[in-house]
Amino acid sequence: MDTIDEEAAAKVAVDHLDLWYGDFQALKDISLTMPEGKVTAMIGPSGCGKSTLLRTLNRMCDLAEAVRHEGSVTVDGTDVFGVDPNELRLKVGMVFQHPNPFPMSIKDNVCYGPRRHAEVSHADLDELTETSLRRAGLWDEVKDDLSHDALGLSGGQQQRLCIARAIAMGPEVLLMDEPTSALDPISTGMVEELMRELSRDHTVIVVTHNMQQATRVSDKCAFFLLGELVEAGPTPELFAHPKDKRTEDYLTGRFG
Amino acid sequence: MPKHRLERCGLTVTGACVALVTVLVVTLIVMVASHGLATFANDGIAVGDFLLGTTWNPHQADANGNPTVGALPMICGSFAVTILSTVIALPIAIGSAIFVVEVAPGFGRRVFQPLIELLVGIPSVVYGLIGLSVVVAWTRSWSGSTGYGILSASIVLAVMVLPTVTSLSIDALASVPHEYREGSYALGCTRWQTIWNVVLRSATPSLMTATILGMTRAFGESLAVQMVIGNSAQIPGSLLTPASTLTSVLTMGMGNEAMGTVYNDVLWSLALLLMAMSLVFILIIHLIGGRGAVRHG
Ligand SMILES: Nc1ncnc2c1ncn2[C@@H]1O[C@H](COP(=O)(O)OP(=O)(O)O)[C@@H](O)[C@H]1O
Ligand SMILES: [Mg+2]
């Protein structure tokens, strides 16, 4: 497992993390690193805590009631629980399972974050809109009418718009929670390709319950079961030679 | 009962209900319209004189021998109290809706919303009484006027429509998908940035519907208004001088006049005007609703 970690420094590091929703322990002693400039996938049956872990990385878990944690999560060596969550989220962007563009125009969606955070001139915003949409592979489809209502786009376009919206903020880490589970196969292919491209400039961490997707897009893969991290390692290795019996059972489809 | 008879029976009974309601609505409209239009058709009063005339004195003839039935003072009065009460009630309604939906949902569900529902059920005469003894007295105490007038009426109406508008605003904010808020938080926005830029913005069509429904209620309310507005059929010179509304003139005048007299016909015309206005309000609500549906569909 350490080959990747030796090549690329750990951008995000989770260390002995436990997390509870009230009395229910959703994460149990998780230790995992996500290498910089790579795609890390988290797989496992639903309810095993993948989303929970992902949402601790940008502290979206704070929004739930009665959440408590122990252990540490660091981004670039800084404890995420020691900084302002709003500052953290500028650096750690997120794309959700269901495309959630705001009910406004395409351009307003892309510019939503920048407008809230910096004094940007209108020329800059136009440029930012174009580069973000280009990088999200959506520019050619929408460039003729950026004032079009975002809710009028197809599901796949909406999800790429959400990706554009997230990268317009210039995050260093991009979290994606099953970003293709609501999309058709063609859109899924586009988004998977995007993940590979985005990992050149961003550290991408993706949750997926689709094992083929994990093999296609990820450099490192982590397998979770019932709130525990069963094993993690370079994707080809994990799929070819799982060390744990439970991983093998899951990969061969014996449960989950 | 045999199956086919049940089927036929069900169809007949429900169909009859629909027919009854339809007949009722049509009869109502036809009745108000025919009486209301008689003013112009039979009594020879020009529509313009009625809508734009500034003197309301149905028992006195003007230079041409026609009764002076200018309804403009009441039209102004109705719109003034409707708009002013909305201006007072709306910010409070939306403000409290934001608090109970976004800040303290537990308190909202357990304490605030039951409280609001309680207020909705209070009969308007009670509001009128309170208005008379508190609002009119208060206005009188600082203004030096009688206390009766548009301002007092608007305050009473604002309190009356507040529960309805608040409760509809709460529904409007609560129905904004949680995903929008998450999307905004994930972009590093604070709670109030999110409320202002995403929640209020996407709830705007429903908030407008809430506002119009409140306005409809204010426009149509008669009893409480009549108790505090002073009932003087003059173009209101200020918010503190006695005035009247379409509804208050109707309730004051209706019992006193025999059917078929010009005065009576003119009262029907006022009723027709009220009906037309509520139709306009409903149309606006449908237009907004249609647009909202397209946006979220
Ligand atoms: N806000 C919450 N409050 C209470 N329990 C939660 C909450 N979110 C998730 N859980 C529970 O935590 C466990 C892990 O959920 P989640 O992280 O969403 O799993 P996954 O994404 O792997 O399907 C599940 O048992 C789920 O019911
Ligand atoms: Mg999940």
Side-chain angles (χ1 to χ4, degrees), chain B residues 225-242:
Chain B
V225 172
Q226 185 205 318
M227 289 166 82
V228 299
I229 199 167
N231 302 306
S232 157
Q234 286 160 2
I235 299 263
S238 84
L239 299 181
L240 297 166
T241 49

mmCIF file with all atom_site columns, all heavy atoms in Angstrom, chain B residues 225-242:
data_model
loop_
_atom_site.group_PDB
_atom_site.id
_atom_site.type_symbol
_atom_site.label_atom_id
_atom_site.label_alt_id
_atom_site.label_comp_id
_atom_site.label_asym_id
_atom_site.label_entity_id
_atom_site.label_seq_id
_atom_site.pdbx_PDB_ins_code
_atom_site.Cartn_x
_atom_site.Cartn_y
_atom_site.Cartn_z
_atom_site.occupancy
_atom_site.B_iso_or_equiv
_atom_site.pdbx_formal_charge
_atom_site.auth_seq_id
_atom_site.auth_comp_id
_atom_site.auth_asym_id
_atom_site.auth_atom_id
_atom_site.pdbx_PDB_model_num
ATOM 1   N N   . VAL B 1 225 ? -62.147 45.909 10.328 1.00 0.00 ? 225 VAL B N   1
ATOM 2   C CA  . VAL B 1 225 ? -61.789 47.189 9.709  1.00 0.00 ? 225 VAL B CA  1
ATOM 3   C C   . VAL B 1 225 ? -62.839 48.237 10.030 1.00 0.00 ? 225 VAL B C   1
ATOM 4   O O   . VAL B 1 225 ? -62.547 49.357 10.441 1.00 0.00 ? 225 VAL B O   1
ATOM 5   C CB  . VAL B 1 225 ? -61.662 47.021 8.183  1.00 0.00 ? 225 VAL B CB  1
ATOM 6   C CG1 . VAL B 1 225 ? -61.475 48.362 7.518  1.00 0.00 ? 225 VAL B CG1 1
ATOM 7   C CG2 . VAL B 1 225 ? -60.520 46.093 7.846  1.00 0.00 ? 225 VAL B CG2 1
ATOM 8   N N   . GLN B 1 226 ? -64.094 47.820 9.871  1.00 0.00 ? 226 GLN B N   1
ATOM 9   C CA  . GLN B 1 226 ? -65.198 48.742 10.095 1.00 0.00 ? 226 GLN B CA  1
ATOM 10  C C   . GLN B 1 226 ? -65.162 49.304 11.514 1.00 0.00 ? 226 GLN B C   1
ATOM 11  O O   . GLN B 1 226 ? -65.519 50.447 11.760 1.00 0.00 ? 226 GLN B O   1
ATOM 12  C CB  . GLN B 1 226 ? -66.499 47.982 9.837  1.00 0.00 ? 226 GLN B CB  1
ATOM 13  C CG  . GLN B 1 226 ? -67.741 48.813 9.908  1.00 0.00 ? 226 GLN B CG  1
ATOM 14  C CD  . GLN B 1 226 ? -68.907 47.915 10.264 1.00 0.00 ? 226 GLN B CD  1
ATOM 15  O OE1 . GLN B 1 226 ? -69.015 46.796 9.748  1.00 0.00 ? 226 GLN B OE1 1
ATOM 16  N NE2 . GLN B 1 226 ? -69.765 48.378 11.141 1.00 0.00 ? 226 GLN B NE2 1
ATOM 17  N N   . MET B 1 227 ? -64.682 48.488 12.454 1.00 0.00 ? 227 MET B N   1
ATOM 18  C CA  . MET B 1 227 ? -64.662 48.920 13.847 1.00 0.00 ? 227 MET B CA  1
ATOM 19  C C   . MET B 1 227 ? -63.615 50.004 14.126 1.00 0.00 ? 227 MET B C   1
ATOM 20  O O   . MET B 1 227 ? -63.750 50.760 15.069 1.00 0.00 ? 227 MET B O   1
ATOM 21  C CB  . MET B 1 227 ? -64.437 47.714 14.770 1.00 0.00 ? 227 MET B CB  1
ATOM 22  C CG  . MET B 1 227 ? -65.644 46.787 14.823 1.00 0.00 ? 227 MET B CG  1
ATOM 23  S SD  . MET B 1 227 ? -65.278 45.199 15.570 1.00 0.00 ? 227 MET B SD  1
ATOM 24  C CE  . MET B 1 227 ? -65.406 45.588 17.313 1.00 0.00 ? 227 MET B CE  1
ATOM 25  N N   . VAL B 1 228 ? -62.561 50.052 13.313 1.00 0.00 ? 228 VAL B N   1
ATOM 26  C CA  . VAL B 1 228 ? -61.475 50.976 13.666 1.00 0.00 ? 228 VAL B CA  1
ATOM 27  C C   . VAL B 1 228 ? -61.140 52.024 12.608 1.00 0.00 ? 228 VAL B C   1
ATOM 28  O O   . VAL B 1 228 ? -60.274 52.860 12.826 1.00 0.00 ? 228 VAL B O   1
ATOM 29  C CB  . VAL B 1 228 ? -60.168 50.194 13.990 1.00 0.00 ? 228 VAL B CB  1
ATOM 30  C CG1 . VAL B 1 228 ? -60.381 49.278 15.173 1.00 0.00 ? 228 VAL B CG1 1
ATOM 31  C CG2 . VAL B 1 228 ? -59.690 49.417 12.785 1.00 0.00 ? 228 VAL B CG2 1
ATOM 32  N N   . ILE B 1 229 ? -61.810 51.976 11.451 1.00 0.00 ? 229 ILE B N   1
ATOM 33  C CA  . ILE B 1 229 ? -61.354 52.874 10.382 1.00 0.00 ? 229 ILE B CA  1
ATOM 34  C C   . ILE B 1 229 ? -62.077 54.225 10.408 1.00 0.00 ? 229 ILE B C   1
ATOM 35  O O   . ILE B 1 229 ? -61.633 55.190 9.796  1.00 0.00 ? 229 ILE B O   1
ATOM 36  C CB  . ILE B 1 229 ? -61.496 52.190 9.002  1.00 0.00 ? 229 ILE B CB  1
ATOM 37  C CG1 . ILE B 1 229 ? -60.617 52.895 7.967  1.00 0.00 ? 229 ILE B CG1 1
ATOM 38  C CG2 . ILE B 1 229 ? -62.945 52.167 8.551  1.00 0.00 ? 229 ILE B CG2 1
ATOM 39  C CD1 . ILE B 1 229 ? -60.433 52.146 6.684  1.00 0.00 ? 229 ILE B CD1 1
ATOM 40  N N   . GLY B 1 230 ? -63.192 54.327 11.139 1.00 0.00 ? 230 GLY B N   1
ATOM 41  C CA  . GLY B 1 230 ? -63.850 55.629 11.250 1.00 0.00 ? 230 GLY B CA  1
ATOM 42  C C   . GLY B 1 230 ? -65.029 55.819 10.315 1.00 0.00 ? 230 GLY B C   1
ATOM 43  O O   . GLY B 1 230 ? -65.882 56.662 10.533 1.00 0.00 ? 230 GLY B O   1
ATOM 44  N N   . ASN B 1 231 ? -65.065 55.028 9.226  1.00 0.00 ? 231 ASN B N   1
ATOM 45  C CA  . ASN B 1 231 ? -66.206 55.016 8.319  1.00 0.00 ? 231 ASN B CA  1
ATOM 46  C C   . ASN B 1 231 ? -66.629 56.390 7.803  1.00 0.00 ? 231 ASN B C   1
ATOM 47  O O   . ASN B 1 231 ? -67.763 56.809 7.948  1.00 0.00 ? 231 ASN B O   1
ATOM 48  C CB  . ASN B 1 231 ? -67.401 54.323 8.986  1.00 0.00 ? 231 ASN B CB  1
ATOM 49  C CG  . ASN B 1 231 ? -67.047 52.918 9.378  1.00 0.00 ? 231 ASN B CG  1
ATOM 50  O OD1 . ASN B 1 231 ? -66.590 52.135 8.555  1.00 0.00 ? 231 ASN B OD1 1
ATOM 51  N ND2 . ASN B 1 231 ? -67.204 52.608 10.649 1.00 0.00 ? 231 ASN B ND2 1
ATOM 52  N N   . SER B 1 232 ? -65.691 57.073 7.210  1.00 0.00 ? 232 SER B N   1
ATOM 53  C CA  . SER B 1 232 ? -66.029 58.316 6.552  1.00 0.00 ? 232 SER B CA  1
ATOM 54  C C   . SER B 1 232 ? -65.676 58.155 5.092  1.00 0.00 ? 232 SER B C   1
ATOM 55  O O   . SER B 1 232 ? -64.534 57.875 4.754  1.00 0.00 ? 232 SER B O   1
ATOM 56  C CB  . SER B 1 232 ? -65.226 59.455 7.181  1.00 0.00 ? 232 SER B CB  1
ATOM 57  O OG  . SER B 1 232 ? -65.122 60.507 6.271  1.00 0.00 ? 232 SER B OG  1
ATOM 58  N N   . ALA B 1 233 ? -66.683 58.319 4.210  1.00 0.00 ? 233 ALA B N   1
ATOM 59  C CA  . ALA B 1 233 ? -66.458 58.012 2.800  1.00 0.00 ? 233 ALA B CA  1
ATOM 60  C C   . ALA B 1 233 ? -65.807 59.174 2.074  1.00 0.00 ? 233 ALA B C   1
ATOM 61  O O   . ALA B 1 233 ? -66.382 59.790 1.192  1.00 0.00 ? 233 ALA B O   1
ATOM 62  C CB  . ALA B 1 233 ? -67.773 57.626 2.134  1.00 0.00 ? 233 ALA B CB  1
ATOM 63  N N   . GLN B 1 234 ? -64.599 59.487 2.502  1.00 0.00 ? 234 GLN B N   1
ATOM 64  C CA  . GLN B 1 234 ? -63.855 60.541 1.834  1.00 0.00 ? 234 GLN B CA  1
ATOM 65  C C   . GLN B 1 234 ? -62.509 59.989 1.414  1.00 0.00 ? 234 GLN B C   1
ATOM 66  O O   . GLN B 1 234 ? -61.986 59.078 2.042  1.00 0.00 ? 234 GLN B O   1
ATOM 67  C CB  . GLN B 1 234 ? -63.612 61.711 2.795  1.00 0.00 ? 234 GLN B CB  1
ATOM 68  C CG  . GLN B 1 234 ? -64.837 62.532 3.038  1.00 0.00 ? 234 GLN B CG  1
ATOM 69  C CD  . GLN B 1 234 ? -64.697 63.348 4.316  1.00 0.00 ? 234 GLN B CD  1
ATOM 70  O OE1 . GLN B 1 234 ? -63.660 63.308 4.968  1.00 0.00 ? 234 GLN B OE1 1
ATOM 71  N NE2 . GLN B 1 234 ? -65.746 64.051 4.651  1.00 0.00 ? 234 GLN B NE2 1
ATOM 72  N N   . ILE B 1 235 ? -61.948 60.586 0.367  1.00 0.00 ? 235 ILE B N   1
ATOM 73  C CA  . ILE B 1 235 ? -60.591 60.205 -0.017 1.00 0.00 ? 235 ILE B CA  1
ATOM 74  C C   . ILE B 1 235 ? -59.716 60.470 1.202  1.00 0.00 ? 235 ILE B C   1
ATOM 75  O O   . ILE B 1 235 ? -59.710 61.593 1.718  1.00 0.00 ? 235 ILE B O   1
ATOM 76  C CB  . ILE B 1 235 ? -60.086 61.068 -1.188 1.00 0.00 ? 235 ILE B CB  1
ATOM 77  C CG1 . ILE B 1 235 ? -60.970 60.876 -2.420 1.00 0.00 ? 235 ILE B CG1 1
ATOM 78  C CG2 . ILE B 1 235 ? -58.621 60.786 -1.472 1.00 0.00 ? 235 ILE B CG2 1
ATOM 79  C CD1 . ILE B 1 235 ? -60.477 59.892 -3.426 1.00 0.00 ? 235 ILE B CD1 1
ATOM 80  N N   . PRO B 1 236 ? -59.031 59.458 1.699  1.00 0.00 ? 236 PRO B N   1
ATOM 81  C CA  . PRO B 1 236 ? -58.258 59.660 2.922  1.00 0.00 ? 236 PRO B CA  1
ATOM 82  C C   . PRO B 1 236 ? -57.145 60.690 2.711  1.00 0.00 ? 236 PRO B C   1
ATOM 83  O O   . PRO B 1 236 ? -56.283 60.526 1.866  1.00 0.00 ? 236 PRO B O   1
ATOM 84  C CB  . PRO B 1 236 ? -57.686 58.273 3.220  1.00 0.00 ? 236 PRO B CB  1
ATOM 85  C CG  . PRO B 1 236 ? -57.850 57.481 1.972  1.00 0.00 ? 236 PRO B CG  1
ATOM 86  C CD  . PRO B 1 236 ? -58.962 58.089 1.199  1.00 0.00 ? 236 PRO B CD  1
ATOM 87  N N   . GLY B 1 237 ? -57.187 61.772 3.470  1.00 0.00 ? 237 GLY B N   1
ATOM 88  C CA  . GLY B 1 237 ? -56.183 62.819 3.328  1.00 0.00 ? 237 GLY B CA  1
ATOM 89  C C   . GLY B 1 237 ? -54.895 62.426 4.008  1.00 0.00 ? 237 GLY B C   1
ATOM 90  O O   . GLY B 1 237 ? -53.812 62.797 3.574  1.00 0.00 ? 237 GLY B O   1
ATOM 91  N N   . SER B 1 238 ? -54.980 61.655 5.080  1.00 0.00 ? 238 SER B N   1
ATOM 92  C CA  . SER B 1 238 ? -53.778 61.179 5.753  1.00 0.00 ? 238 SER B CA  1
ATOM 93  C C   . SER B 1 238 ? -54.104 59.825 6.358  1.00 0.00 ? 238 SER B C   1
ATOM 94  O O   . SER B 1 238 ? -55.242 59.364 6.308  1.00 0.00 ? 238 SER B O   1
ATOM 95  C CB  . SER B 1 238 ? -53.349 62.154 6.844  1.00 0.00 ? 238 SER B CB  1
ATOM 96  O OG  . SER B 1 238 ? -54.081 61.873 8.021  1.00 0.00 ? 238 SER B OG  1
ATOM 97  N N   . LEU B 1 239 ? -53.105 59.207 6.928  1.00 0.00 ? 239 LEU B N   1
ATOM 98  C CA  . LEU B 1 239 ? -53.321 57.889 7.517  1.00 0.00 ? 239 LEU B CA  1
ATOM 99  C C   . LEU B 1 239 ? -54.111 58.002 8.811  1.00 0.00 ? 239 LEU B C   1
ATOM 100 O O   . LEU B 1 239 ? -54.543 57.015 9.369  1.00 0.00 ? 239 LEU B O   1
ATOM 101 C CB  . LEU B 1 239 ? -51.971 57.217 7.784  1.00 0.00 ? 239 LEU B CB  1
ATOM 102 C CG  . LEU B 1 239 ? -51.108 56.969 6.551  1.00 0.00 ? 239 LEU B CG  1
ATOM 103 C CD1 . LEU B 1 239 ? -49.816 56.268 6.936  1.00 0.00 ? 239 LEU B CD1 1
ATOM 104 C CD2 . LEU B 1 239 ? -51.859 56.140 5.522  1.00 0.00 ? 239 LEU B CD2 1
ATOM 105 N N   . LEU B 1 240 ? -54.271 59.224 9.299  1.00 0.00 ? 240 LEU B N   1
ATOM 106 C CA  . LEU B 1 240 ? -54.883 59.407 10.610 1.00 0.00 ? 240 LEU B CA  1
ATOM 107 C C   . LEU B 1 240 ? -56.307 59.935 10.540 1.00 0.00 ? 240 LEU B C   1
ATOM 108 O O   . LEU B 1 240 ? -56.967 60.098 11.550 1.00 0.00 ? 240 LEU B O   1
ATOM 109 C CB  . LEU B 1 240 ? -54.025 60.358 11.444 1.00 0.00 ? 240 LEU B CB  1
ATOM 110 C CG  . LEU B 1 240 ? -52.615 59.830 11.738 1.00 0.00 ? 240 LEU B CG  1
ATOM 111 C CD1 . LEU B 1 240 ? -51.724 60.934 12.264 1.00 0.00 ? 240 LEU B CD1 1
ATOM 112 C CD2 . LEU B 1 240 ? -52.679 58.670 12.710 1.00 0.00 ? 240 LEU B CD2 1
ATOM 113 N N   . THR B 1 241 ? -56.782 60.242 9.312  1.00 0.00 ? 241 THR B N   1
ATOM 114 C CA  . THR B 1 241 ? -58.158 60.725 9.217  1.00 0.00 ? 241 THR B CA  1
ATOM 115 C C   . THR B 1 241 ? -59.081 59.542 8.958  1.00 0.00 ? 241 THR B C   1
ATOM 116 O O   . THR B 1 241 ? -58.697 58.586 8.294  1.00 0.00 ? 241 THR B O   1
ATOM 117 C CB  . THR B 1 241 ? -58.311 61.733 8.062  1.00 0.00 ? 241 THR B CB  1
ATOM 118 O OG1 . THR B 1 241 ? -57.711 61.172 6.896  1.00 0.00 ? 241 THR B OG1 1
ATOM 119 C CG2 . THR B 1 241 ? -57.651 63.042 8.389  1.00 0.00 ? 241 THR B CG2 1
ATOM 120 N N   . PRO B 1 242 ? -60.307 59.617 9.471  1.00 0.00 ? 242 PRO B N   1
ATOM 121 C CA  . PRO B 1 242 ? -61.259 58.534 9.259  1.00 0.00 ? 242 PRO B CA  1
ATOM 122 C C   . PRO B 1 242 ? -61.474 58.283 7.766  1.00 0.00 ? 242 PRO B C   1
ATOM 123 O O   . PRO B 1 242 ? -61.493 59.220 6.974  1.00 0.00 ? 242 PRO B O   1
ATOM 124 C CB  . PRO B 1 242 ? -62.543 59.047 9.912  1.00 0.00 ? 242 PRO B CB  1
ATOM 125 C CG  . PRO B 1 242 ? -62.073 60.014 10.935 1.00 0.00 ? 242 PRO B CG  1
ATOM 126 C CD  . PRO B 1 242 ? -60.839 60.650 10.364 1.00 0.00 ? 242 PRO B CD  1
#
